[in-house]
Amino acid sequence: MANSDVTVPRAAVGNGDQILHVEHATHRFGDVVALDDVSITARRGEFLTLLGESGSGKTTLLRIVAGLERPTRIARIAIDGEDVSAIPASRRNCTTVFQHYALFPHMSVGQNVEYGLRVRGIDRDQRRKRAEDALALVRLLDKYGRRVHQLSGGERQRVALARALVTQPAILLLDEPLGALDEKLRVDMQVELLDLHEKLGLTFIYVTHSQEEALTMSDRIILMRRGRIVQEGPPTDLFDRPASRFVADFMGVENLLEGTIESVQNGTASVRIGGHVISGAWSGTGLAERGAPACVAVRAERIRLAPRGATVDEPGVNALPCTSGATIYKGKYLDQTLDTDIGPVKARIWDRGVDVTDLEALWWRESECAITSAENGAGAGSGEEADAA
Amino acid sequence: MRTSKHLYFHLSRRNFIKCAAAGTAIVGAPAILKGLTRKAIAQDENTIRLLITGPTLIPGDWSAFERETGFKMEDTVIKDDPGIFLTEILVNDGGDRFDIIAALTGAEQDLIDGEAIKPIETSAVPNWGGIPESITQMPYLQRDLAPEGGYVWGVPLAMNADSFGYLPEKLNEPRPPEEASWSLVYESEKTLGRSSTGDNYIYLWEALAYLKNTGQLEVGDLLDPSPEEAAATADFLIERKQAGQFRNFWKIFDDQVSDMKNGEVDAIRCWEPAVREANKAGGDWVYANATEFYTKWMHACYIPTQVHDRGNLEQVHTALNWILSGSYAAGITPLRGYVTGRPDLAPQYAEENGMGPEVGVAIDEALAKVKFKFAKEDFWFSAVPSNLQEMQAQMDRVLNA
Amino acid sequence: MAATLTANDDVMRRLLPRLPAGVWSLSGFTVVWFGGIVIPLLAIILVSFFQGRGIRINLDPTFLQYERFFSYGGSDLLARSVRIAATITFIELMIAFPFALWLAKGCKNNMVRLLTFTALTVPFFLSPAARVIVWRSVFGINGVVNQALLATGAVDEPVTWLIFSEFAVHFGFLGAFFPTMVWPIFLSISLIDNDFLEASNDLGANRFRTLVHVIFPLALPGVVAGIVFTFIPMLGDTVVAQHMGGNNVLMLSAQVQSLIGVSNFLVAAALAAVVLGIMLAFQVLLWAALKPVGGLNEVFANLRR
């Protein structure tokens, strides 16, 4: 295969099937703390997403794995069993797909893709063959001789992908690669990426700020905020069982109602809000404690409406009397705000025929809402939360 | 009578436009844009604008002039290369912008041919009458300025007999007034690698004078060298240069002074004021009384034709009179060692104005110079010899070698 | 590119019907440039083929002026001038490129960068002669350098070839034209997106390879500009050679000055034509040298995104 000065030799010691270990990484830019004692692992072949808003540290973490950034402090970083803390980016067995592609403008598409092989000293014919294979993989073989500026955004993205893949890295790092594409193209590319992932069996570490993207593509999501991990787990975990108000909010839960825990029982918590008691599955961090602040997170799709006159008295259901508020047309559904005595609640109305003018109450199943820690919750690492909003 | 060197005809804007129809693109754009690029110097009744090619001939300041004539003097210095100077006057209509032109003698015929200057009425310049005979009778003044029938083409500004500077102690050579030889500059073992001379045709000419006076070359008319003589001189200089005689060839006055002050040379063909400057820094330079020859020159003042049209002729005459007065002499002679047109007026002026005895000393030296140095036959040089271009070309050959 | 037509454009269009549309929008500039620069240049070249003295020109075509030029030692002059200019340009490139690279990419401290800019620009507030003359007292026989050498016993006698020699002329040029080489290269390199460098690194290229494969090709426009802005003005320089060389090292443009000084305009024109010829030859050389990387167009086209 490639020159030995580039490939990271396989470790003799078995590491289970963990291909990446990052332990206690801290990074500062001047006074700003970008990463605060973060540790992650990645399993061989998984599609891991680092999710967060800007400033959360996800890109910094990615760059530290790539070797493009040397962390201020780190206990251990190992790729495929070998400690790479002293190894520069050029010799680590991972490649990056950059947000703005970073395709070399003075080289043709083919030359761009060949670049990684060229600097490894691979001879011309071999290079050409492998580059063509990589381009075929992203269905751009016919653009081999074109110049970069002649390609569209989506095509450039695929070339960047091919370029990163041709060197057969152990880990592929993707830094918000779909951010610059329009919506339709983005969705198509997501599917392509998933295909590639399955076909190649490589470990992907993907950075994005879009929770929808993360949900679509990941095997596992690590949600970060201000340099700390706030929740990690498979997509369903973050979607259905957010650990804190922040996570719920980030994952798109429309209705977040804050109150105090009144009672706890077998993983179910009951929260008093105003004059109501609302129950749901406890998904917050740590154990639920009586008297602690908590947040009820219920998605708008789960809200049902009871017209006047109907009674809501099934067991395992939370109900709130309400009146209609604003309606927003969203094409596929109507975004209906309902006013209750503990605040507005959003519901989605899929059926046009539903009459919302005179309602008795709104209700949802206890099993379909989560009770989370209030505010941001404690992070996955150590340390107190000290932030206000 | 002089022969015209025919380098120029008067190519003024007027003439050009006449020629334009028959003309070609050869002088197209430059002349068209010429008018746009001329600097406008404001003309004011009581200001005299002077164009001068010798910066060392300007007195310390013009305050004496302004006091005594009531006019302001604005001087503009231009490089003394004949080409540049003549272009400025004849092609760029220098006369439009200047009231007096002061330059090295020898260019008169070109200026006359180009209708750039008009003769000066000597009766209008009272001090002209009193110029000592020893000066007016210099053959060269007669030749270049051609006083005739109450008119003269130009009025002497200052003159000198140039030789070279050297360090008598270091070279074990006699001090003036004992004579020293030009060989110190050109051929001496004592100054190998530590002598210098100038970089243009004038200094080639001097080398020729040296060769003539040391019998190394037969020369026809030293005042008008032939191309062959120039070539032979160049060969001599090239030989000396390749033997390592010359440290460098200077271009401007400041170069001379810096060579002397920095100790780069022991003997240097230079202008007399340079020796004074160098000694200010504590040197022991003397200006030679040369064995073989002196390079004699005169700067004269001319009146451009345009002055007559402008109507400030009277002011110009007054200015010229001042130049021929004791005031200028007392100002310039002690400062530079040059001889002016009326050195005789200086002592009286000095006394009247309470100037020190150094003026008298300087004047006496100047008069002695006229007597001895100027009396030596060789050589009085003119700014525009017939074979000017060949001579410069030969000098360039020397510099290139 | 839509060209906005004006009355001026219409006139041009009638006179020169076959030029492409883009030219019309530059018509004003083109006319001025043509009239003010190209025509006088052509006039000079034309004039050099005639005879005459001073400004009297006889319209008999001849190569006489060129013969004269070469008989005055012209071929030596040419050879020397081109040799020195080429040598210095080469040395400048070798020094300026790493320096520009450091300044653009290596220097993180803004204060240092600012000071360096200032140091590069401030000398230009002095006249060229003033900048150069200072070296005489440093390199002269009694100058600082010699004093130091004598004091440390490195030499027995003062070194004479530090000034008024080719060494001095080279040295003078080196300092004078350093900024002209650095600036274009610096600009070119700073325009290189850091992303490219990171991508190169990430793909396995060490610093040297990144320099060769990524930085240098993308900096090529600046390098070309630097070479052009250094070599050609150096041919036209009158100050350094005279003051540092003491007329011992004659260069082309000084020769033009001395010819004009004696009204030898025709030979000066011939010399100017020769210099123009050198510059043209230089451009051809440059064009040929860039062919392997796709030609001059390509080099600048690489800036397209």
Side-chain angles (χ1 to χ4, degrees):
Chain A
M1 212 186 85
N3 280 348
S4 60
D5 65 311
V6 174
T7 328
V8 171
R10 304 268 146 152
V13 179
N15 271 288
D17 48 359
Q18 301 295 340
I19 200 170
L20 172 70
H21 289 272
V22 174
E23 286 169 24
H24 301 295
T26 302
H27 193 64
R28 282 200 182 78
F29 291 110
D31 289 333
V32 177
V33 179
L35 282 181
D36 194 352
D37 197 17
V38 167
S39 302
I40 66 169
T41 57
R43 233 176 36 243
R44 192 180 304 276
E46 88 173 320
F47 195 120
L48 173 66
T49 298
L50 303 177
L51 177 64
E53 51 202 9
S54 52
S56 58
K58 56 193 195 298
T59 303
T60 309
L61 186 54
L62 193 81
R63 287 165 62 84
I64 286 178
V65 174
L68 297 172
E69 208 84 57
R70 292 207 77 179
T72 317
R73 217 171 48 227
I74 193 166
R76 178 175 174 231
I77 173 167
I79 296 180
D80 213 0
E82 173 167 354
D83 181 30
V84 297
S85 49
I87 296 185
S90 53
R91 296 214 308 273
R92 293 194 191 184
N93 196 6
C94 51
T95 51
T96 309
V97 178
F98 290 83
Q99 186 168 12
H100 302 292
Y101 322 130
L103 296 177
F104 303 124
H106 58 288
M107 299 185 194
S108 69
V109 165
Q111 287 169 332
N112 260 286
V113 176
E114 284 181 18
Y115 188 77
L117 302 174
R118 187 172 168 201
V119 298
R120 284 164 171 76
I122 302 211
D123 70 79
R124 185 184 315 188
D125 296 322
Q126 262 252 339
R127 284 205 310 253
R128 173 121 196 174
K129 168 111 190 18
R130 285 173 64 173
E132 286 175 349
D133 288 344
L135 280 172
L137 210 55
V138 295
R139 299 189 333 268
L140 277 180
L141 189 50
D142 55 333
K143 301 271 199 282
Y144 190 91
R146 294 286 175 88
R147 307 301 297 223
V148 169
H149 65 87
Q150 294 173 309
L151 302 179
S152 71
E155 288 170 338
R156 292 187 201 193
Q157 215 263 31
R158 286 186 275 158
V159 172
L161 206 46
R163 182 175 74 174
L165 288 171
V166 79
T167 56
Q168 297 171 340
I171 306 177
L172 185 67
L173 306 164
L174 301 105
D175 187 0
E176 302 198 54
L178 307 183
L181 302 177
D182 57 21
E183 210 174 319
K184 175 93 178 43
L185 201 47
R186 205 181 317 144
V187 169
D188 291 341
M189 282 306 304
Q190 285 171 6
V191 174
E192 276 203 43
L193 276 173
L194 277 177
D195 275 345
L196 267 175
H197 177 242
E198 211 174 292
K199 205 183 292 185
L200 298 172
L202 277 181
T203 312
F204 278 29
I205 300 185
Y206 191 94
V207 163
T208 182
H209 60 268
S210 158
Q211 45 102 7
E212 284 146 349
E213 217 164 74
L215 291 174
T216 312
M217 307 178 70
S218 328
D219 291 334
R220 194 160 63 96
I221 301 178
I222 297 180
L223 177 58
M224 297 179 67
R225 186 187 194 218
R226 298 208 194 145
R228 296 197 188 156
I229 300 177
V230 292
Q231 186 166 357
E232 62 182 291
T236 46
D237 264 9
L238 274 82
F239 191 79
D240 290 329
R241 304 173 57 73
S244 71
R245 183 181 197 275
F246 169 76
V247 177
D249 192 12
F250 194 92
M251 296 309 290
V253 176
E254 296 86 348
N255 300 310
L256 300 164
L257 308 163
E258 298 199 23
T260 323
I261 298 181
E262 202 166 69
S263 64
V264 179
Q265 190 184 348
N266 283 350
T268 309
S270 298
V271 177
R272 171 167 289 280
I273 309 177
H276 302 275
V277 175
I278 297 178
S279 304
W282 170 254
S283 64
T285 50
L287 293 171
E289 286 175 13
R290 293 197 57 194
C295 178
V296 176
V298 53
R299 290 189 179 265
E301 306 83 271
R302 306 290 184 209
I303 306 286
R304 325 233 182 146
L305 303 175
R308 177 140 326 267
T311 48
V312 183
D313 54 8
E314 286 173 46
V317 150
N318 295 309
L320 294 171
C322 66
T323 56
S324 296
T327 312
I328 302 178
Y329 177 70
K330 293 276 193 180
K332 290 186 186 170
Y333 58 88
L334 291 174
D335 183 340
Q336 179 69 46
T337 306
L338 303 158
D339 297 315
T340 71
D341 59 355
I342 57 172
V345 169
K346 286 209 168 165
R348 290 194 184 172
I349 301 180
W350 301 89
D351 178 3
R352 299 288 181 78
V354 170
D355 179 11
V356 297
T357 44
D358 192 15
L359 293 170
E360 176 76 31
L362 57 89
W363 59 277
W364 70 90
R365 299 212 157 77
E366 283 178 11
S367 56
E368 289 173 343
C369 82
I371 313 293
T372 73
S373 309
E375 279 304 322
N376 310 305
S382 61
E384 273 282 300
E385 275 303 320
D387 17 322
Chain B
M1 219 30 213
R2 271 183 304 260
T3 50
S4 161
K5 279 74 164 206
H6 287 293
L7 279 178
Y8 285 89
F9 58 90
H10 190 192
L11 187 74
S12 75
R13 221 174 304 144
R14 283 165 254 136
N15 283 0
F16 165 67
I17 291 176
K18 281 190 234 156
C19 297
T24 63
I26 290 179
V27 280
I32 294 170
L33 292 174
K34 168 178 78 161
L36 302 170
T37 58
R38 291 283 71 84
K39 210 173 44 161
I41 303 182
Q43 205 227 315
D44 163 18
E45 268 253 310
N46 290 324
T47 305
I48 305 288
R49 298 164 296 169
L50 171 70
L51 180 68
I52 186 166
T53 64
T56 49
L57 282 90
I58 299 176
D61 59 61
W62 291 105
S63 56
F65 172 81
E66 287 168 13
R67 232 182 314 130
E68 285 150 31
T69 60
F71 302 136
K72 266 186 66 55
M73 177 70 89
E74 265 175 30
D75 58 69
T76 308
V77 179
I78 189 178
K79 188 113 185 16
D80 62 359
D81 287 344
I84 293 180
F85 162 70
L86 287 173
T87 310
E88 180 67 16
I89 308 292
L90 293 174
V91 180
N92 295 342
D93 287 330
D96 286 343
R97 289 168 287 121
F98 296 103
D99 304 308
I100 300 180
I101 301 172
L104 213 45
T105 59
E108 292 83 7
Q109 195 56 48
D110 277 293
L111 291 171
I112 295 169
D113 285 347
E115 295 168 23
I117 60 173
K118 274 219 144 80
I120 305 173
E121 213 177 318
T122 51
S123 52
V125 184
N127 283 339
W128 165 268
I131 295 184
E133 240 186 65
S134 54
I135 293 178
T136 53
Q137 288 312 313
M138 285 182 184
Y140 311 101
L141 187 149
Q142 293 286 329
R143 179 194 73 178
D144 289 339
L145 302 183
E148 195 180 331
Y151 282 92
V152 68
W153 281 104
V155 150
L157 178 63
M159 64 198 87
N160 203 11
D162 273 10
S163 58
F164 57 95
Y166 64 101
L167 294 166
E169 293 296 321
K170 185 163 183 209
L171 295 173
N172 208 5
E173 287 282 329
R175 292 181 171 273
E178 275 194 58
E179 293 186 334
S181 162
W182 276 96
S183 66
L184 284 175
V185 174
Y186 294 114
E187 277 191 301
S188 169
E189 276 302 311
K190 283 196 261 192
T191 57
L192 193 66
R194 298 183 59 81
S195 75
S196 173
T197 181
D199 71 339
N200 65 21
Y201 69 97
I202 301 175
Y203 310 101
L204 184 89
W205 204 340
E206 287 177 359
L208 180 64
Y210 173 74
L211 292 175
K212 174 188 173 201
N213 279 287
T214 55
Q216 294 184 53
L217 192 66
E218 279 291 319
V219 173
D221 182 6
L222 186 59
L223 300 181
D224 206 5
S226 70
E228 296 78 21
E229 287 160 359
T233 315
D235 290 336
F236 164 74
L237 283 173
I238 290 177
E239 192 202 305
R240 293 311 305 157
K241 178 178 176 185
Q242 288 175 337
Q245 175 74 46
F246 303 108
R247 181 85 175 106
N248 60 27
F249 294 88
W250 51 260
K251 187 166 207 62
I252 52 177
F253 180 64
D254 293 327
D255 289 347
Q256 303 166 34
V257 176
S258 91
D259 274 352
M260 292 157 85
K261 277 190 180 172
N262 291 344
E264 303 284 344
V265 292
D266 297 328
I268 176 169
R269 157 63 177 114
C270 62
W271 302 346
E272 187 156 355
V275 170
R276 288 161 193 255
E277 287 295 317
N279 283 336
K280 278 188 197 164
D284 182 30
W285 291 87
V286 296
Y287 206 57
N289 278 23
T291 321
E292 293 89 357
F293 68 93
Y294 291 97
T295 306
K296 295 177 277 189
W297 53 265
M298 178 194 296
H299 274 244
C301 293
Y302 312 99
I303 300 186
T305 320
Q306 287 90 328
V307 170
H308 291 258
D309 301 325
R310 275 203 290 270
N312 59 343
L313 191 57
E314 210 184 292
Q315 288 90 323
V316 172
H317 283 151
T318 314
L320 289 178
N321 205 42
W322 181 86
I323 284 173
L324 288 179
S325 73
S327 179
Y328 180 63
I332 206 78
T333 309
L335 189 61
R336 309 284 192 205
Y338 296 148
V339 183
T340 67
R342 294 297 305 268
D344 52 309
L345 290 179
Q348 183 192 7
Y349 178 86
E351 202 179 300
E352 282 173 10
N353 288 280
M355 296 172 83
E358 73 275 0
V359 176
V361 169
I363 295 297
D364 287 339
E365 276 177 9
L367 289 171
K369 194 186 295 189
V370 171
K371 198 154 160 222
F372 292 113
K373 289 193 181 180
F374 278 96
K376 216 184 246 294
E377 195 199 323
D378 287 338
F379 76 103
W380 189 287
F381 91 96
S382 140
V384 189
S386 307
N387 294 308
L388 170 65
Q389 299 181 333
E390 282 73 8
M391 289 169 71
Q392 180 64 45
Q394 291 300 327
M395 194 61 194
D396 287 335
R397 242 187 78 218
V398 173
L399 294 179
N400 256 320
Chain C
M1 193 176 358
T4 44
L5 293 181
T6 64
N8 202 1
D9 294 336
D10 278 340
V11 170
M12 290 291 287
R13 182 160 290 206
R14 257 182 272 132
L15 293 176
L16 302 160
R18 270 179 310 205
L19 292 178
V23 173
W24 305 132
S25 48
L26 295 176
S27 57
F29 172 76
T30 313
V31 166
V32 169
W33 181 74
F34 207 73
I37 295 182
V38 174
I39 291 188
L41 273 183
L42 290 177
I44 291 178
I45 299 179
L46 200 59
V47 150
S48 67
F49 288 105
F50 295 132
Q51 279 198 56
R53 270 178 79 77
I55 59 175
R56 295 170 178 276
I57 300 172
N58 309 328
L59 299 182
D60 309 321
T62 170
F63 281 117
L64 181 62
Q65 312 304 342
Y66 290 92
E67 284 170 20
R68 280 206 185 134
F69 167 64
F70 284 105
S71 71
Y72 298 161
S75 32
D76 279 340
L77 185 64
L78 267 181
R80 187 187 312 127
S81 302
V82 172
R83 173 175 52 87
I84 294 183
T87 313
I88 297 289
T89 304
F90 178 75
I91 298 178
E92 293 282 20
L93 187 57
M94 294 296 114
I95 303 178
F97 193 90
F99 183 79
L101 187 57
W102 167 77
L103 198 61
K105 294 293 179 194
C107 182
K108 303 290 182 203
N109 187 342
N110 269 329
M111 189 44 118
V112 171
R113 197 184 284 187
L114 193 65
L115 287 176
T116 314
F117 283 164
T118 318
L120 281 177
T121 5
V122 157
F124 288 95
F125 289 119
L126 294 172
S127 76
R131 274 181 259 149
V132 166
I133 281 200
V134 144
W135 290 107
R136 284 204 197 172
S137 47
V138 173
F139 283 142
I141 286 186
N142 292 329
V144 176
V145 173
N146 266 318
Q147 285 178 8
L149 287 173
L150 286 169
T152 61
V155 294
D156 295 324
E157 283 183 0
V159 182
T160 54
W161 50 260
L162 291 173
I163 191 80
F164 306 135
S165 63
E166 271 210 11
F167 169 80
V169 171
H170 278 93
F171 186 88
F173 277 136
L174 216 54
F177 286 95
F178 183 66
T180 59
M181 185 65 91
V182 167
W183 281 118
I185 300 182
F186 164 78
L187 283 173
S188 233
I189 296 183
S190 15
L191 284 177
I192 299 179
D193 218 327
N194 274 331
D195 271 3
F196 297 136
L197 305 181
E198 283 187 349
S200 175
N201 204 8
D202 181 70
L203 286 165
N206 59 16
R207 282 185 163 179
F208 176 70
R209 289 203 129 107
T210 304
L211 176 67
V212 170
H213 293 308
V214 179
I215 296 184
F216 188 74
L218 289 175
L220 210 45
V223 170
V224 169
I227 292 180
V228 168
F229 284 131
T230 303
F231 181 79
I232 291 188
M234 213 185 292
L235 279 186
D237 176 82
T238 51
V239 172
V240 175
Q242 284 171 4
H243 288 114
M244 298 295 279
N247 278 317
N248 283 341
V249 181
L250 216 59
M251 303 257 305
L252 279 170
S253 300
Q255 181 74 306
V256 175
Q257 272 192 340
S258 96
L259 284 170
I260 291 184
V262 292
S263 308
N264 207 346
F265 299 117
L266 297 178
V267 180
L271 179 41
V274 168
V275 173
L276 271 175
I278 295 179
M279 292 183 184
L280 276 174
F282 172 73
Q283 294 285 55
V284 170
L285 217 69
L286 204 59
W287 176 84
L290 289 175
K291 264 279 177 174
V293 289
L296 198 57
N297 262 340
E298 260 316 300
V299 165
F300 285 86
N302 284 333
L303 298 176
R304 260 181 296 178
R305 297 300 168 93

